[in-house]
PDB file of all heavy atoms in Angstrom:
ATOM      1  N   ARG A   1     118.594  -8.293 -97.806  1.00 86.00           N
ATOM      2  CA  ARG A   1     117.156  -8.156 -97.869  1.00 86.00           C
ATOM      3  C   ARG A   1     116.643  -9.283 -98.720  1.00 86.00           C
ATOM      4  O   ARG A   1     117.329  -9.985 -99.457  1.00 86.00           O
ATOM      5  CB  ARG A   1     116.768  -6.882 -98.686  1.00 86.00           C
ATOM      6  CG  ARG A   1     117.104  -5.578 -97.831  1.00 86.00           C
ATOM      7  CD  ARG A   1     116.103  -5.381 -96.803  1.00 86.00           C
ATOM      8  NE  ARG A   1     114.796  -5.116 -97.275  1.00 86.00           N
ATOM      9  CZ  ARG A   1     114.140  -4.031 -97.799  1.00 86.00           C
ATOM     10  NH1 ARG A   1     114.958  -2.931 -97.769  1.00 86.00           N
ATOM     11  NH2 ARG A   1     112.914  -3.941 -98.238  1.00 86.00           N
ATOM     12  N   THR A   2     115.379  -9.525 -98.506  1.00 90.00           N
ATOM     13  CA  THR A   2     114.649 -10.637 -99.293  1.00 90.00           C
ATOM     14  C   THR A   2     113.574 -10.076-100.117  1.00 90.00           C
ATOM     15  O   THR A   2     113.028  -8.979 -99.777  1.00 90.00           O
ATOM     16  CB  THR A   2     114.132 -11.722 -98.266  1.00 90.00           C
ATOM     17  OG1 THR A   2     113.211 -11.155 -97.448  1.00 90.00           O
ATOM     18  CG2 THR A   2     115.173 -12.471 -97.537  1.00 90.00           C
ATOM     19  N   GLY A   3     113.179 -10.813-101.161  1.00 92.00           N
ATOM     20  CA  GLY A   3     112.063 -10.385-101.905  1.00 92.00           C
ATOM     21  C   GLY A   3     111.620 -11.642-102.728  1.00 92.00           C
ATOM     22  O   GLY A   3     111.837 -12.648-102.559  1.00 92.00           O
ATOM     23  N   ARG A   4     110.538 -11.315-103.553  1.00 95.00           N
ATOM     24  CA  ARG A   4     109.932 -12.392-104.375  1.00 95.00           C
ATOM     25  C   ARG A   4     109.820 -11.881-105.766  1.00 95.00           C
ATOM     26  O   ARG A   4     109.648 -10.750-106.067  1.00 95.00           O
ATOM     27  CB  ARG A   4     108.624 -12.753-103.805  1.00 95.00           C
ATOM     28  CG  ARG A   4     108.610 -13.413-102.414  1.00 95.00           C
ATOM     29  CD  ARG A   4     107.334 -13.885-102.026  1.00 95.00           C
ATOM     30  NE  ARG A   4     107.517 -14.514-100.592  1.00 95.00           N
ATOM     31  CZ  ARG A   4     107.767 -15.904-100.450  1.00 95.00           C
ATOM     32  NH1 ARG A   4     108.029 -16.569-101.566  1.00 95.00           N
ATOM     33  NH2 ARG A   4     107.885 -16.334 -99.286  1.00 95.00           N
ATOM     34  N   VAL A   5     109.895 -12.878-106.672  1.00 95.00           N
ATOM     35  CA  VAL A   5     109.814 -12.569-108.177  1.00 95.00           C
ATOM     36  C   VAL A   5     108.443 -11.989-108.446  1.00 95.00           C
ATOM     37  O   VAL A   5     107.415 -12.710-108.180  1.00 95.00           O
ATOM     38  CB  VAL A   5     110.108 -13.844-109.003  1.00 95.00           C
ATOM     39  CG1 VAL A   5     110.011 -13.436-110.480  1.00 95.00           C
ATOM     40  CG2 VAL A   5     111.656 -14.175-108.709  1.00 95.00           C
ATOM     41  N   LEU A   6     108.299 -10.820-108.904  1.00 94.00           N
ATOM     42  CA  LEU A   6     106.984 -10.175-109.223  1.00 94.00           C
ATOM     43  C   LEU A   6     106.677 -10.646-110.624  1.00 94.00           C
ATOM     44  O   LEU A   6     105.504 -11.013-110.762  1.00 94.00           O
ATOM     45  CB  LEU A   6     107.102  -8.678-108.983  1.00 94.00           C
ATOM     46  CG  LEU A   6     105.827  -7.931-109.294  1.00 94.00           C
ATOM     47  CD1 LEU A   6     104.845  -8.281-108.300  1.00 94.00           C
ATOM     48  CD2 LEU A   6     106.200  -6.367-109.130  1.00 94.00           C
ATOM     49  N   ARG A   7     107.531 -10.431-111.484  1.00 94.00           N
ATOM     50  CA  ARG A   7     107.059 -10.826-112.926  1.00 94.00           C
ATOM     51  C   ARG A   7     108.493 -10.977-113.664  1.00 94.00           C
ATOM     52  O   ARG A   7     109.564 -10.472-113.320  1.00 94.00           O
ATOM     53  CB  ARG A   7     106.332  -9.641-113.582  1.00 94.00           C
ATOM     54  CG  ARG A   7     106.917  -8.346-113.830  1.00 94.00           C
ATOM     55  CD  ARG A   7     106.056  -7.350-114.490  1.00 94.00           C
ATOM     56  NE  ARG A   7     106.722  -6.028-114.591  1.00 94.00           N
ATOM     57  CZ  ARG A   7     106.828  -5.124-113.762  1.00 94.00           C
ATOM     58  NH1 ARG A   7     106.193  -5.220-112.662  1.00 94.00           N
ATOM     59  NH2 ARG A   7     107.351  -3.971-114.070  1.00 94.00           N
ATOM     60  N   ILE A   8     108.292 -11.626-114.794  1.00 94.00           N
ATOM     61  CA  ILE A   8     109.373 -11.843-115.702  1.00 94.00           C
ATOM     62  C   ILE A   8     109.125 -11.168-117.049  1.00 94.00           C
ATOM     63  O   ILE A   8     108.009 -11.441-117.550  1.00 94.00           O
ATOM     64  CB  ILE A   8     109.652 -13.312-115.956  1.00 94.00           C
ATOM     65  CG1 ILE A   8     109.896 -14.203-114.607  1.00 94.00           C
ATOM     66  CG2 ILE A   8     110.925 -13.677-117.017  1.00 94.00           C
ATOM     67  CD1 ILE A   8     110.039 -15.515-114.767  1.00 94.00           C
ATOM     68  N   GLU A   9     109.992 -10.282-117.591  1.00 93.00           N
ATOM     69  CA  GLU A   9     109.704  -9.497-118.683  1.00 93.00           C
ATOM     70  C   GLU A   9     109.551 -10.455-119.994  1.00 93.00           C
ATOM     71  O   GLU A   9     110.383 -11.372-119.998  1.00 93.00           O
ATOM     72  CB  GLU A   9     110.785  -8.333-118.895  1.00 93.00           C
ATOM     73  CG  GLU A   9     110.802  -7.428-117.820  1.00 93.00           C
ATOM     74  CD  GLU A   9     109.657  -6.506-117.756  1.00 93.00           C
ATOM     75  OE1 GLU A   9     108.859  -6.541-118.687  1.00 93.00           O
ATOM     76  OE2 GLU A   9     109.442  -5.784-116.752  1.00 93.00           O
ATOM     77  N   PRO A  10     108.650 -10.306-120.884  1.00 93.00           N
ATOM     78  CA  PRO A  10     108.573 -11.151-121.961  1.00 93.00           C
ATOM     79  C   PRO A  10     109.596 -10.861-123.124  1.00 93.00           C
ATOM     80  O   PRO A  10     109.540 -11.488-124.146  1.00 93.00           O
ATOM     81  CB  PRO A  10     107.039 -10.891-122.353  1.00 93.00           C
ATOM     82  CG  PRO A  10     106.763  -9.538-122.073  1.00 93.00           C
ATOM     83  CD  PRO A  10     107.516  -9.254-120.835  1.00 93.00           C
ATOM     84  N   VAL A  11     110.383  -9.764-122.992  1.00 93.00           N
ATOM     85  CA  VAL A  11     111.219  -9.446-124.134  1.00 93.00           C
ATOM     86  C   VAL A  11     112.730  -9.534-123.586  1.00 93.00           C
ATOM     87  O   VAL A  11     113.055  -8.971-122.451  1.00 93.00           O
ATOM     88  CB  VAL A  11     110.903  -7.944-124.616  1.00 93.00           C
ATOM     89  CG1 VAL A  11     111.860  -7.552-125.575  1.00 93.00           C
ATOM     90  CG2 VAL A  11     109.418  -7.885-124.948  1.00 93.00           C
ATOM     91  N   ALA A  12     113.525 -10.021-124.336  1.00 94.00           N
ATOM     92  CA  ALA A  12     115.004 -10.135-124.017  1.00 94.00           C
ATOM     93  C   ALA A  12     115.720  -9.081-124.859  1.00 94.00           C
ATOM     94  O   ALA A  12     115.227  -8.442-125.775  1.00 94.00           O
ATOM     95  CB  ALA A  12     115.469 -11.536-124.490  1.00 94.00           C
ATOM     96  N   PHE A  13     116.919  -8.838-124.353  1.00 93.00           N
ATOM     97  CA  PHE A  13     117.766  -7.841-124.960  1.00 93.00           C
ATOM     98  C   PHE A  13     119.173  -8.277-125.028  1.00 93.00           C
ATOM     99  O   PHE A  13     119.585  -9.212-124.160  1.00 93.00           O
ATOM    100  CB  PHE A  13     117.690  -6.463-124.134  1.00 93.00           C
ATOM    101  CG  PHE A  13     118.072  -6.583-122.655  1.00 93.00           C
ATOM    102  CD1 PHE A  13     119.501  -6.311-122.336  1.00 93.00           C
ATOM    103  CD2 PHE A  13     117.243  -6.938-121.694  1.00 93.00           C
ATOM    104  CE1 PHE A  13     119.840  -6.314-120.929  1.00 93.00           C
ATOM    105  CE2 PHE A  13     117.726  -7.104-120.457  1.00 93.00           C
ATOM    106  CZ  PHE A  13     118.988  -6.803-120.148  1.00 93.00           C
ATOM    107  N   THR A  14     119.977  -7.671-125.835  1.00 94.00           N
ATOM    108  CA  THR A  14     121.478  -8.103-126.012  1.00 94.00           C
ATOM    109  C   THR A  14     122.318  -7.351-124.971  1.00 94.00           C
ATOM    110  O   THR A  14     122.197  -6.085-124.896  1.00 94.00           O
ATOM    111  CB  THR A  14     121.879  -7.951-127.333  1.00 94.00           C
ATOM    112  OG1 THR A  14     121.042  -8.608-128.253  1.00 94.00           O
ATOM    113  CG2 THR A  14     123.295  -8.223-127.669  1.00 94.00           C
ATOM    114  N   LYS A  15     123.220  -8.028-124.263  1.00 91.00           N
ATOM    115  CA  LYS A  15     124.018  -7.491-123.345  1.00 91.00           C
ATOM    116  C   LYS A  15     125.407  -7.952-123.560  1.00 91.00           C
ATOM    117  O   LYS A  15     125.577  -9.220-123.675  1.00 91.00           O
ATOM    118  CB  LYS A  15     123.637  -7.513-121.872  1.00 91.00           C
ATOM    119  CG  LYS A  15     124.539  -6.953-120.778  1.00 91.00           C
ATOM    120  CD  LYS A  15     123.967  -7.137-119.517  1.00 91.00           C
ATOM    121  CE  LYS A  15     124.833  -6.446-118.307  1.00 91.00           C
ATOM    122  NZ  LYS A  15     124.210  -6.737-117.093  1.00 91.00           N
ATOM    123  N   VAL A  16     126.507  -7.132-123.536  1.00 90.00           N
ATOM    124  CA  VAL A  16     127.816  -7.633-123.796  1.00 90.00           C
ATOM    125  C   VAL A  16     128.424  -7.882-122.372  1.00 90.00           C
ATOM    126  O   VAL A  16     128.409  -7.059-121.525  1.00 90.00           O
ATOM    127  CB  VAL A  16     128.681  -6.604-124.539  1.00 90.00           C
ATOM    128  CG1 VAL A  16     130.123  -7.098-124.701  1.00 90.00           C
ATOM    129  CG2 VAL A  16     127.968  -6.242-125.958  1.00 90.00           C
ATOM    130  N   SER A  17     129.010  -9.131-122.110  1.00 86.00           N
ATOM    131  CA  SER A  17     129.545  -9.445-120.894  1.00 86.00           C
ATOM    132  C   SER A  17     130.926  -8.877-120.752  1.00 86.00           C
ATOM    133  O   SER A  17     131.477  -8.331-121.634  1.00 86.00           O
ATOM    134  CB  SER A  17     129.653 -11.010-120.786  1.00 86.00           C
ATOM    135  OG  SER A  17     130.650 -11.548-121.740  1.00 86.00           O
ATOM    136  N   ALA A  18     131.474  -9.079-119.551  1.00 83.00           N
ATOM    137  CA  ALA A  18     132.841  -8.653-119.354  1.00 83.00           C
ATOM    138  C   ALA A  18     133.883  -9.208-120.158  1.00 83.00           C
ATOM    139  O   ALA A  18     134.969  -8.634-120.402  1.00 83.00           O
ATOM    140  CB  ALA A  18     133.229  -8.974-117.832  1.00 83.00           C
ATOM    141  N   LEU A  19     133.598 -10.452-120.733  1.00 86.00           N
ATOM    142  CA  LEU A  19     134.496 -11.017-121.654  1.00 86.00           C
ATOM    143  C   LEU A  19     134.353 -10.656-123.169  1.00 86.00           C
ATOM    144  O   LEU A  19     134.918 -11.178-124.030  1.00 86.00           O
ATOM    145  CB  LEU A  19     134.373 -12.527-121.476  1.00 86.00           C
ATOM    146  CG  LEU A  19     134.750 -13.212-120.211  1.00 86.00           C
ATOM    147  CD1 LEU A  19     134.518 -14.684-120.153  1.00 86.00           C
ATOM    148  CD2 LEU A  19     136.220 -12.810-119.738  1.00 86.00           C
ATOM    149  N   GLY A  20     133.437  -9.644-123.462  1.00 89.00           N
ATOM    150  CA  GLY A  20     133.079  -9.229-124.665  1.00 89.00           C
ATOM    151  C   GLY A  20     132.171 -10.177-125.547  1.00 89.00           C
ATOM    152  O   GLY A  20     132.051 -10.211-126.668  1.00 89.00           O
ATOM    153  N   ILE A  21     131.367 -11.039-124.838  1.00 91.00           N
ATOM    154  CA  ILE A  21     130.521 -11.927-125.451  1.00 91.00           C
ATOM    155  C   ILE A  21     129.009 -11.396-125.377  1.00 91.00           C
ATOM    156  O   ILE A  21     128.627 -10.993-124.341  1.00 91.00           O
ATOM    157  CB  ILE A  21     130.505 -13.321-124.703  1.00 91.00           C
ATOM    158  CG1 ILE A  21     131.896 -13.912-124.743  1.00 91.00           C
ATOM    159  CG2 ILE A  21     129.522 -14.280-125.369  1.00 91.00           C
ATOM    160  CD1 ILE A  21     132.131 -15.173-123.976  1.00 91.00           C
ATOM    161  N   GLN A  22     128.363 -11.395-126.513  1.00 93.00           N
ATOM    162  CA  GLN A  22     126.979 -10.990-126.542  1.00 93.00           C
ATOM    163  C   GLN A  22     126.106 -12.030-125.980  1.00 93.00           C
ATOM    164  O   GLN A  22     126.117 -13.123-126.422  1.00 93.00           O
ATOM    165  CB  GLN A  22     126.582 -10.685-128.085  1.00 93.00           C
ATOM    166  CG  GLN A  22     127.206  -9.416-128.642  1.00 93.00           C
ATOM    167  CD  GLN A  22     126.715  -8.948-129.935  1.00 93.00           C
ATOM    168  OE1 GLN A  22     126.037  -9.696-130.561  1.00 93.00           O
ATOM    169  NE2 GLN A  22     127.103  -7.812-130.348  1.00 93.00           N
ATOM    170  N   GLU A  23     125.270 -11.670-125.022  1.00 92.00           N
ATOM    171  CA  GLU A  23     124.254 -12.539-124.369  1.00 92.00           C
ATOM    172  C   GLU A  23     122.869 -11.932-124.394  1.00 92.00           C
ATOM    173  O   GLU A  23     122.712 -10.712-124.408  1.00 92.00           O
ATOM    174  CB  GLU A  23     124.685 -12.607-122.877  1.00 92.00           C
ATOM    175  CG  GLU A  23     126.153 -13.284-122.690  1.00 92.00           C
ATOM    176  CD  GLU A  23     126.556 -13.223-121.154  1.00 92.00           C
ATOM    177  OE1 GLU A  23     125.948 -12.367-120.421  1.00 92.00           O
ATOM    178  OE2 GLU A  23     127.414 -14.017-120.873  1.00 92.00           O
ATOM    179  N   GLN A  24     121.998 -12.878-124.568  1.00 94.00           N
ATOM    180  CA  GLN A  24     120.636 -12.500-124.533  1.00 94.00           C
ATOM    181  C   GLN A  24     120.197 -12.593-123.052  1.00 94.00           C
ATOM    182  O   GLN A  24     120.177 -13.658-122.410  1.00 94.00           O
ATOM    183  CB  GLN A  24     119.779 -13.406-125.412  1.00 94.00           C
ATOM    184  CG  GLN A  24     120.036 -13.222-126.831  1.00 94.00           C
ATOM    185  CD  GLN A  24     119.832 -11.723-127.376  1.00 94.00           C
ATOM    186  OE1 GLN A  24     120.810 -11.193-127.691  1.00 94.00           O
ATOM    187  NE2 GLN A  24     118.609 -11.393-127.327  1.00 94.00           N
ATOM    188  N   ARG A  25     119.721 -11.469-122.550  1.00 94.00           N
ATOM    189  CA  ARG A  25     119.269 -11.370-121.180  1.00 94.00           C
ATOM    190  C   ARG A  25     117.762 -11.037-121.038  1.00 94.00           C
ATOM    191  O   ARG A  25     117.290 -10.294-122.031  1.00 94.00           O
ATOM    192  CB  ARG A  25     120.006 -10.328-120.401  1.00 94.00           C
ATOM    193  CG  ARG A  25     121.630 -10.712-120.266  1.00 94.00           C
ATOM    194  CD  ARG A  25     121.930 -11.324-119.007  1.00 94.00           C
ATOM    195  NE  ARG A  25     123.231 -11.719-119.006  1.00 94.00           N
ATOM    196  CZ  ARG A  25     123.870 -12.268-117.839  1.00 94.00           C
ATOM    197  NH1 ARG A  25     123.037 -12.443-116.818  1.00 94.00           N
ATOM    198  NH2 ARG A  25     124.950 -12.744-117.704  1.00 94.00           N
ATOM    199  N   VAL A  26     117.186 -11.434-119.943  1.00 95.00           N
ATOM    200  CA  VAL A  26     115.913 -11.137-119.608  1.00 95.00           C
ATOM    201  C   VAL A  26     115.723 -10.334-118.228  1.00 95.00           C
ATOM    202  O   VAL A  26     116.528 -10.923-117.385  1.00 95.00           O
ATOM    203  CB  VAL A  26     114.900 -12.292-119.628  1.00 95.00           C
ATOM    204  CG1 VAL A  26     113.478 -12.035-119.254  1.00 95.00           C
ATOM    205  CG2 VAL A  26     115.041 -13.056-120.949  1.00 95.00           C
ATOM    206  N   GLN A  27     114.921  -9.485-118.058  1.00 95.00           N
ATOM    207  CA  GLN A  27     114.885  -8.768-116.847  1.00 95.00           C
ATOM    208  C   GLN A  27     113.739  -9.385-115.970  1.00 95.00           C
ATOM    209  O   GLN A  27     112.670  -9.534-116.393  1.00 95.00           O
ATOM    210  CB  GLN A  27     114.475  -7.133-116.928  1.00 95.00           C
ATOM    211  CG  GLN A  27     115.653  -6.408-117.656  1.00 95.00           C
ATOM    212  CD  GLN A  27     115.174  -4.904-117.631  1.00 95.00           C
ATOM    213  OE1 GLN A  27     114.177  -4.607-117.558  1.00 95.00           O
ATOM    214  NE2 GLN A  27     116.346  -4.128-117.592  1.00 95.00           N
ATOM    215  N   VAL A  28     114.268  -9.680-114.755  1.00 95.00           N
ATOM    216  CA  VAL A  28     113.360 -10.318-113.718  1.00 95.00           C
ATOM    217  C   VAL A  28     113.098  -9.293-112.691  1.00 95.00           C
ATOM    218  O   VAL A  28     114.037  -8.810-112.067  1.00 95.00           O
ATOM    219  CB  VAL A  28     113.797 -11.537-113.210  1.00 95.00           C
ATOM    220  CG1 VAL A  28     113.019 -12.163-112.133  1.00 95.00           C
ATOM    221  CG2 VAL A  28     114.127 -12.676-114.167  1.00 95.00           C
ATOM    222  N   VAL A  29     111.804  -8.889-112.497  1.00 95.00           N
ATOM    223  CA  VAL A  29     111.482  -7.838-111.519  1.00 95.00           C
ATOM    224  C   VAL A  29     111.157  -8.370-110.180  1.00 95.00           C
ATOM    225  O   VAL A  29     110.318  -9.414-110.070  1.00 95.00           O
ATOM    226  CB  VAL A  29     110.311  -7.064-112.037  1.00 95.00           C
ATOM    227  CG1 VAL A  29     109.902  -5.937-110.966  1.00 95.00           C
ATOM    228  CG2 VAL A  29     110.553  -6.424-113.321  1.00 95.00           C
ATOM    229  N   VAL A  30     111.959  -7.921-109.086  1.00 95.00           N
ATOM    230  CA  VAL A  30     111.705  -8.550-107.797  1.00 95.00           C
ATOM    231  C   VAL A  30     111.136  -7.514-106.883  1.00 95.00           C
ATOM    232  O   VAL A  30     111.540  -6.389-106.790  1.00 95.00           O
ATOM    233  CB  VAL A  30     113.143  -8.994-107.221  1.00 95.00           C
ATOM    234  CG1 VAL A  30     112.985  -9.438-105.876  1.00 95.00           C
ATOM    235  CG2 VAL A  30     113.601  -9.971-108.117  1.00 95.00           C
ATOM    236  N   ALA A  31     110.016  -7.897-106.173  1.00 93.00           N
ATOM    237  CA  ALA A  31     109.329  -6.997-105.243  1.00 93.00           C
ATOM    238  C   ALA A  31     110.053  -7.122-103.808  1.00 93.00           C
ATOM    239  O   ALA A  31     110.181  -8.364-103.349  1.00 93.00           O
ATOM    240  CB  ALA A  31     107.862  -7.232-105.044  1.00 93.00           C
TER     241      ALA A  31
END
């Protein structure tokens, strides 16, 4: 399927990767 970026959230959050590294991630909402 295809879509388009609707908005980019202004707040980041911490997510632990598969290697155990803490990363700052941002949610991109796609319509």
